[in-house]
Amino acid sequence: MEAAKDTLGPMMNAVNWFLVALATTFLGLRVYCKLGRHRGLWWDDHILIFAWACLVVAVGFITSSISLGFTSPTGPKTPEAALRLQIHGGVQNVFFGLATVMSKTSFGVTLLRVTERRLKMVVLFLTVTMNLAVFLYIIFTFFKCEPKIYSWIKGPGCWSTERYIHYGIFAGAYSAFVDFSFAIIPWFLIMNLQMKTREKFGVAIAMSCGIIAGVTAIMRCVYLPNLLLGTFSTQGTTLVIWYVAESSVTIIAASIPVLRALIKEISSSIDRYNRSTGNKSGMKSQSRATPRGLHHSNIVTTVTGSRRDRDDPHGDASSDKSILEAGRAPGKLEPGRIMQTQEIRLSYHDRSDNESEQGYEMEYMGRKSS
């Protein structure tokens, strides 16, 4: 038993904090991209940061619960530890639920900014109903009768473990359904934009990473019935890991679309560096004089005119036509004619794929299609 305790506790801590660190990295890069481009943070960013904070608090309470005997098959060693485990269990369930629902709500708010009419109503309905289902699940957590150490309501009125699990599976399944729906909706939006096909698929796939969060929600539903088998501590360990995984993956998935622009910038910088180092010395000197991607084109036009007819009854009325008569061939100038030469210098840049997407943000996607 002691060996099982030593194995489950450190393993659970390592997995949980690794997932939190991964989510922190992606969220930090998302905030960096927004502030670095002077875009500022919007409601979806603040909601996602709040979800991350809830996740950190929940995992912190899990770590404390492990030290109190959460992963021990024999349970807490003292009554004081049992009371603290009850409090920790209630708090961590609340924050796990908030981390899950707020991270998904963040992406729902993002979609609300770029959708219109019926599609906006669908996103709003899914977001509201998902919040309702998860918040009820948080409340029902305190109605459990078993295990008694984590039960807040004693005697009549408390929920059996089976009843709690049934609603938990419903809430988790609906949460997964919302994840899959949010992953499909961007495809309807992006396919109508005026972008290259490759860019469309790249953006659509980046915005559909939430499907992975839906998979973790399904896995959580699969492991919920295991609470009826063995001790709650040993069976709850895997369930808690899937709770952390769902929230962390959702935060990561919500950050990936914003990070795509950063990845394109890095790729473009590496490409420019490789091209500059691979050129010959002569080409290097030329590239210093002319920026990469800048082209010049000279267009020369020559028009000639005929001698003015002194007997022209119209006088100067047709002088422009007679002096600059475009019907003559430019290479056959006759004596007495006037030749006018115009040289136009045209300069233009090549637009890279990165520059075409550099200003791309999910919240402005609707405007790009105009």
Side-chain angles (χ1 to χ4, degrees):
M1 291 184 179
E2 192 69 22
K5 172 186 175 181
D6 295 338
T7 302
L8 289 177
M11 181 271 296
M12 187 172 167
N13 266 332
V15 174
N16 288 346
W17 286 111
F18 170 77
L19 292 172
V20 171
L22 204 59
T24 303
T25 302
F26 277 83
L27 179 61
L29 290 174
R30 172 189 173 117
V31 174
Y32 169 78
C33 287
K34 289 293 188 74
L35 298 180
R37 294 168 176 271
H38 306 288
R39 300 276 187 180
L41 302 180
W42 201 67
W43 280 106
D44 52 354
D45 301 296
H46 293 295
I47 294 174
L48 196 62
I49 293 174
F50 176 72
W52 169 83
C54 292
L55 177 63
V56 173
V57 172
V59 174
F61 272 94
I62 284 292
T63 301
S64 178
S65 297
I66 291 175
S67 64
L68 295 174
F70 174 72
T71 55
S72 173
T74 58
K77 297 180 180 180
T78 63
E80 293 78 10
L83 179 60
R84 292 180 63 186
L85 269 179
Q86 181 186 25
I87 298 174
H88 284 200
V91 173
Q92 67 197 27
N93 285 335
V94 170
F95 281 99
F96 269 134
L98 288 175
T100 300
V101 72
M102 289 294 103
S103 56
K104 299 174 190 291
T105 300
S106 171
F107 193 72
V109 172
T110 300
L111 291 179
L112 285 175
R113 298 189 66 183
V114 298
T115 51
E116 297 178 351
R117 301 183 181 88
R118 293 183 180 179
L119 206 55
K120 180 186 287 290
M121 297 303 298
V122 170
V123 173
L124 181 61
F125 174 80
L126 292 174
T127 304
V128 172
T129 53
M130 177 194 61
N131 276 266
L132 180 62
V134 176
F135 276 110
L136 287 177
Y137 179 65
I138 294 175
I139 295 174
F140 294 156
T141 301
F142 296 93
F143 284 75
K144 293 185 301 182
C145 300
E146 297 290 340
K148 293 182 179 180
I149 189 176
Y150 299 110
S151 177
W152 290 77
I153 299 178
K154 312 295 182 180
C158 66
W159 279 26
S160 64
T161 306
E162 292 84 354
R163 190 176 181 183
Y164 169 76
I165 289 175
H166 289 163
Y167 185 81
I169 292 176
F170 163 76
Y174 189 73
S175 178
F177 170 75
V178 172
D179 286 327
F180 295 145
S181 300
F182 284 173
I184 294 174
I185 289 175
W187 289 84
F188 293 97
L189 300 173
I190 295 174
M191 290 302 108
N192 295 326
L193 296 181
Q194 297 178 357
M195 301 170 62
K196 296 179 181 179
T197 303
R198 181 172 59 87
E199 296 173 2
K200 286 183 179 181
F201 278 100
V203 175
I205 292 174
M207 296 184 68
S208 300
C209 292
I211 196 171
I212 304 177
V215 174
T216 58
I218 292 177
M219 294 302 300
R220 177 166 60 89
C221 295
V222 170
Y223 278 91
L224 264 175
N226 290 345
L227 294 179
L228 297 173
L229 307 174
T231 62
F232 179 83
S233 296
T234 54
Q235 297 299 329
T237 301
T238 305
L239 184 62
V240 168
I241 292 177
W242 281 113
Y243 265 114
V244 179
E246 182 179 1
S247 301
S248 301
V249 169
T250 306
I251 293 174
I252 293 172
S255 303
I256 287 178
V258 180
L259 300 184
R260 186 172 182 270
L262 177 62
I263 296 173
K264 294 290 291 184
E265 287 181 0
I266 296 175
S267 176
S268 179
S269 299
I270 295 175
D271 181 63
R272 287 197 298 267
Y273 175 78
N274 292 335
R275 289 184 180 181
S276 62
T277 56
N279 289 338
K280 298 180 179 179
S281 57
M283 296 297 294
K284 289 182 179 179
S285 61
Q286 182 179 359
S287 63
R288 295 190 191 100
T290 303
R292 190 185 71 85
L294 180 64
H295 303 274
H296 299 292
S297 177
N298 296 334
I299 303 175
V300 179
T301 59
T302 303
V303 292
T304 60
S306 61
R307 185 190 303 273
R308 179 182 172 186
D309 189 358
R310 296 180 180 179
D311 298 330
D312 186 358
H314 299 289
D316 288 338
S318 60
S319 60
D320 292 342
K321 180 179 179 181
S322 60
I323 294 176
L324 301 177
E325 182 177 317
R328 301 285 184 180
K332 300 179 180 179
L333 181 62
E334 298 179 3
R337 291 184 179 275
I338 298 177
M339 180 179 68
Q340 180 183 18
T341 302
Q342 294 179 340
E343 180 177 354
I344 301 174
R345 185 176 179 85
L346 178 63
S347 301
Y348 60 93
H349 286 272
D350 287 336
R351 188 183 72 171
S352 63
D353 291 341
N354 177 57
E355 291 170 346
S356 66
E357 298 178 20
Q358 194 169 12
Y360 171 77
E361 289 285 350
M362 284 188 298
E363 55 267 31
Y364 302 109
M365 186 172 60
R367 300 179 185 177
K368 290 289 183 180
S369 60
S370 60

